[in-house]
Amino acid sequence: MAISVSKMQASFNVIEKVIFGGTFDPVHNGHLISAQELARKMAYQSVTLMPCGQAYHKTGSSTAQHRLNMLNLAVAQSTVLDVDEQEVLRDGATYTVDTLRHLRQELGEHAHITWVMGTDSAQSIVHWHQWRQIFTLANVIVIARSGESELDLSHWPAKLVNEVETFKQSPHGCYCQLALTPISLSSSEVRKAIKNHQPVDNHVPQAVIEYIEQHGLYRGLD
Ligand code: ATP
């Protein structure tokens, strides 16, 4: 499907595309608040949440369609966050490198494309399919979660750039680490709370809670 360009920013005539990938099973306030804070700190006009296709590395997960529906509900009122469905719609295994190739082809060689990941992903990226190619297609921002310190990423085939405007002018090949306000919350905790019939009102948007209840997710009903 065509990528939405409605929230892309043209700053210094450079198209920006910032993608926060994840399983989002389900999306929670930690994802949403962090993505918004990232946009604010980096002065990005928008951040795109991209749910992975098959959550093949996680067991007992919801279908991609449910995860996508919940994300769409979560960002419905947002002027900063949007959702890209391309990994969900693609058949078979979804690799970040393929997604980035697609985006690069669509947005052109000068576009600033940045993939956002947590420190957990940054530590395991060397095991991703064609991981070195990622840096020929995009920049990477590593966001630190609660209690996490900066990683030594000097083995990455990318340049460390800490100055925001310089970073934002790079089409690909740069990385930086960004500390965000710690929000101690995970999808696993949300799933566990729902399974145990505990309230999750402070952790998940109301529209998502209603969707979960309507479809009986995370209670062993689906
Ligand atoms: P699970 O508990 O099932 O492992 P999760 O809460 O880590 O899920 P994911 O969908 O796997 O959620 O994460 C997507 C991205 O969001 C990852 O880069 C992850 O590091 C980041 N992330 C998850 N929770 C938070 C949080 N509370 N604050 C900031 N970033 C988060």
Side-chain angles (χ1 to χ4, degrees), residues 51-79:
C52 62
Q54 293 165 303
Y56 53 87
H57 55 295
K58 296 189 178 179
T59 52
S61 61
S62 304
T63 64
Q65 193 60 53
H66 279 319
R67 293 184 287 108
L68 177 61
N69 292 346
M70 289 188 279
L71 267 174
N72 280 323
L73 288 169
V75 306
Q77 309 299 324
S78 177
T79 54

Short mmCIF file of all heavy atoms in Angstrom, two decimals, residues 51-79:
data_model
loop_
_atom_site.label_atom_id
_atom_site.label_comp_id
_atom_site.label_asym_id
_atom_site.label_seq_id
_atom_site.Cartn_x
_atom_site.Cartn_y
_atom_site.Cartn_z
N PRO A 51 3.89 -1.66 13.01
CA PRO A 51 3.81 -2.99 13.61
C PRO A 51 4.45 -4.04 12.69
O PRO A 51 4.27 -3.98 11.47
CB PRO A 51 2.31 -3.23 13.74
CG PRO A 51 1.67 -2.35 12.72
CD PRO A 51 2.59 -1.17 12.51
N CYS A 52 5.19 -4.96 13.29
CA CYS A 52 5.80 -6.01 12.48
C CYS A 52 4.71 -6.97 12.00
O CYS A 52 3.62 -7.02 12.58
CB CYS A 52 6.87 -6.76 13.27
SG CYS A 52 6.25 -7.62 14.72
N GLY A 53 5.01 -7.72 10.95
CA GLY A 53 4.03 -8.66 10.39
C GLY A 53 3.75 -9.78 11.36
O GLY A 53 3.03 -9.63 12.33
N GLN A 54 4.39 -10.91 11.11
CA GLN A 54 4.21 -12.02 12.03
C GLN A 54 5.10 -11.78 13.24
O GLN A 54 6.30 -11.55 13.07
CB GLN A 54 4.65 -13.33 11.39
CG GLN A 54 3.80 -13.76 10.24
CD GLN A 54 4.51 -14.83 9.44
OE1 GLN A 54 5.61 -14.64 8.94
NE2 GLN A 54 3.87 -15.96 9.32
N ALA A 55 4.52 -11.84 14.41
CA ALA A 55 5.35 -11.73 15.61
C ALA A 55 5.92 -13.11 15.90
O ALA A 55 5.62 -13.74 16.91
CB ALA A 55 4.52 -11.22 16.78
N TYR A 56 6.74 -13.59 14.94
CA TYR A 56 7.18 -14.98 15.00
C TYR A 56 8.10 -15.27 16.17
O TYR A 56 8.28 -16.39 16.59
CB TYR A 56 7.91 -15.35 13.69
CG TYR A 56 9.01 -14.39 13.34
CD1 TYR A 56 10.28 -14.58 13.83
CD2 TYR A 56 8.77 -13.29 12.51
CE1 TYR A 56 11.30 -13.69 13.53
CE2 TYR A 56 9.77 -12.40 12.21
CZ TYR A 56 11.04 -12.60 12.72
OH TYR A 56 12.02 -11.71 12.44
N HIS A 57 8.70 -14.20 16.74
CA HIS A 57 9.62 -14.41 17.86
C HIS A 57 8.89 -14.40 19.20
O HIS A 57 9.49 -14.58 20.24
CB HIS A 57 10.70 -13.32 17.85
CG HIS A 57 10.15 -11.93 17.87
ND1 HIS A 57 9.40 -11.42 16.84
CD2 HIS A 57 10.24 -10.96 18.79
CE1 HIS A 57 9.05 -10.17 17.12
NE2 HIS A 57 9.54 -9.87 18.29
N LYS A 58 7.58 -14.15 19.15
CA LYS A 58 6.84 -14.14 20.41
C LYS A 58 5.70 -15.15 20.32
O LYS A 58 5.02 -15.23 19.31
CB LYS A 58 6.29 -12.75 20.68
CG LYS A 58 7.40 -11.72 20.87
CD LYS A 58 6.88 -10.41 21.36
CE LYS A 58 8.06 -9.45 21.57
NZ LYS A 58 7.66 -8.14 22.02
N THR A 59 5.48 -15.88 21.38
CA THR A 59 4.42 -16.88 21.34
C THR A 59 3.14 -16.31 21.94
O THR A 59 3.17 -15.38 22.74
CB THR A 59 4.82 -18.13 22.13
OG1 THR A 59 5.25 -17.70 23.43
CG2 THR A 59 5.95 -18.89 21.46
N GLY A 60 2.03 -16.86 21.54
CA GLY A 60 0.75 -16.44 22.10
C GLY A 60 0.36 -15.03 21.74
O GLY A 60 -0.46 -14.41 22.42
N SER A 61 0.92 -14.48 20.66
CA SER A 61 0.64 -13.08 20.34
C SER A 61 -0.66 -12.95 19.55
O SER A 61 -1.15 -13.90 18.94
CB SER A 61 1.79 -12.49 19.55
OG SER A 61 1.96 -13.19 18.35
N SER A 62 -1.20 -11.73 19.54
CA SER A 62 -2.42 -11.46 18.79
C SER A 62 -2.11 -11.44 17.31
O SER A 62 -0.96 -11.27 16.90
CB SER A 62 -2.98 -10.09 19.18
OG SER A 62 -3.19 -10.05 20.54
N THR A 63 -3.16 -11.53 16.51
CA THR A 63 -2.95 -11.47 15.07
C THR A 63 -2.45 -10.07 14.71
O THR A 63 -2.70 -9.09 15.42
CB THR A 63 -4.26 -11.72 14.30
OG1 THR A 63 -5.16 -10.66 14.61
CG2 THR A 63 -4.86 -13.06 14.67
N ALA A 64 -1.77 -10.00 13.57
CA ALA A 64 -1.26 -8.72 13.10
C ALA A 64 -2.41 -7.73 12.92
O ALA A 64 -2.27 -6.55 13.21
CB ALA A 64 -0.50 -8.92 11.80
N GLN A 65 -3.54 -8.25 12.46
CA GLN A 65 -4.68 -7.35 12.22
C GLN A 65 -5.18 -6.72 13.53
O GLN A 65 -5.45 -5.53 13.58
CB GLN A 65 -5.82 -8.13 11.53
CG GLN A 65 -6.90 -7.22 10.98
CD GLN A 65 -6.38 -6.24 9.92
OE1 GLN A 65 -5.75 -6.67 8.97
NE2 GLN A 65 -6.60 -4.95 10.11
N HIS A 66 -5.24 -7.50 14.60
CA HIS A 66 -5.65 -6.94 15.90
C HIS A 66 -4.63 -5.89 16.35
O HIS A 66 -5.00 -4.81 16.82
CB HIS A 66 -5.73 -8.03 16.97
CG HIS A 66 -7.00 -8.84 16.94
ND1 HIS A 66 -8.23 -8.28 16.72
CD2 HIS A 66 -7.21 -10.18 17.11
CE1 HIS A 66 -9.16 -9.23 16.76
NE2 HIS A 66 -8.57 -10.38 16.99
N ARG A 67 -3.35 -6.20 16.23
CA ARG A 67 -2.32 -5.25 16.69
C ARG A 67 -2.40 -3.96 15.89
O ARG A 67 -2.25 -2.86 16.44
CB ARG A 67 -0.93 -5.88 16.58
CG ARG A 67 -0.73 -7.06 17.55
CD ARG A 67 0.67 -7.66 17.52
NE ARG A 67 0.94 -8.44 16.33
CZ ARG A 67 1.75 -8.07 15.35
NH1 ARG A 67 2.39 -6.92 15.41
NH2 ARG A 67 1.94 -8.85 14.30
N LEU A 68 -2.65 -4.10 14.60
CA LEU A 68 -2.78 -2.93 13.74
C LEU A 68 -4.03 -2.12 14.10
O LEU A 68 -3.97 -0.89 14.20
CB LEU A 68 -2.85 -3.41 12.28
CG LEU A 68 -3.07 -2.35 11.22
CD1 LEU A 68 -1.92 -1.36 11.21
CD2 LEU A 68 -3.20 -3.01 9.84
N ASN A 69 -5.13 -2.80 14.31
CA ASN A 69 -6.37 -2.10 14.66
C ASN A 69 -6.20 -1.30 15.96
O ASN A 69 -6.66 -0.17 16.08
CB ASN A 69 -7.53 -3.09 14.81
CG ASN A 69 -7.91 -3.72 13.47
OD1 ASN A 69 -7.50 -3.24 12.42
ND2 ASN A 69 -8.67 -4.80 13.52
N MET A 70 -5.52 -1.92 16.93
CA MET A 70 -5.33 -1.23 18.21
C MET A 70 -4.44 0.00 18.04
O MET A 70 -4.69 1.06 18.63
CB MET A 70 -4.73 -2.21 19.25
CG MET A 70 -5.73 -3.27 19.69
SD MET A 70 -5.13 -4.29 21.06
CE MET A 70 -4.10 -5.47 20.20
N LEU A 71 -3.42 -0.13 17.20
CA LEU A 71 -2.54 1.02 16.95
C LEU A 71 -3.31 2.16 16.29
O LEU A 71 -3.16 3.33 16.66
CB LEU A 71 -1.40 0.59 16.02
CG LEU A 71 -0.11 0.13 16.68
CD1 LEU A 71 0.85 -0.38 15.64
CD2 LEU A 71 0.54 1.26 17.46
N ASN A 72 -4.13 1.81 15.31
CA ASN A 72 -4.91 2.85 14.63
C ASN A 72 -5.84 3.57 15.61
O ASN A 72 -6.00 4.78 15.54
CB ASN A 72 -5.69 2.26 13.46
CG ASN A 72 -4.80 2.08 12.23
OD1 ASN A 72 -3.93 2.89 11.96
ND2 ASN A 72 -5.01 1.01 11.48
N LEU A 73 -6.42 2.82 16.52
CA LEU A 73 -7.27 3.45 17.53
C LEU A 73 -6.44 4.37 18.44
O LEU A 73 -6.85 5.47 18.78
CB LEU A 73 -7.96 2.38 18.40
CG LEU A 73 -9.07 1.58 17.72
CD1 LEU A 73 -9.47 0.39 18.59
CD2 LEU A 73 -10.28 2.49 17.46
N ALA A 74 -5.24 3.91 18.79
CA ALA A 74 -4.39 4.67 19.72
C ALA A 74 -3.91 6.00 19.14
O ALA A 74 -3.70 6.95 19.88
CB ALA A 74 -3.18 3.81 20.13
N VAL A 75 -3.72 6.07 17.84
CA VAL A 75 -3.18 7.31 17.24
C VAL A 75 -4.27 8.15 16.57
O VAL A 75 -3.98 9.19 15.99
CB VAL A 75 -2.05 7.03 16.21
CG1 VAL A 75 -0.95 6.18 16.83
CG2 VAL A 75 -2.59 6.37 14.95
N ALA A 76 -5.52 7.69 16.67
CA ALA A 76 -6.60 8.35 15.91
C ALA A 76 -6.67 9.85 16.18
O ALA A 76 -6.96 10.63 15.29
CB ALA A 76 -7.93 7.68 16.21
N GLN A 77 -6.41 10.26 17.41
CA GLN A 77 -6.54 11.69 17.76
C GLN A 77 -5.20 12.42 17.69
O GLN A 77 -5.13 13.60 18.02
CB GLN A 77 -7.09 11.84 19.20
CG GLN A 77 -8.35 11.06 19.50
CD GLN A 77 -9.52 11.50 18.62
OE1 GLN A 77 -9.64 12.68 18.30
NE2 GLN A 77 -10.33 10.54 18.19
N SER A 78 -4.14 11.73 17.34
CA SER A 78 -2.81 12.34 17.41
C SER A 78 -2.48 13.14 16.16
O SER A 78 -2.79 12.74 15.05
CB SER A 78 -1.75 11.25 17.61
OG SER A 78 -0.46 11.83 17.61
N THR A 79 -1.83 14.27 16.37
CA THR A 79 -1.36 15.06 15.23
C THR A 79 0.10 14.74 14.93
O THR A 79 0.66 15.24 13.96
CB THR A 79 -1.48 16.57 15.52
OG1 THR A 79 -0.81 16.84 16.75
CG2 THR A 79 -2.94 17.00 15.61
#
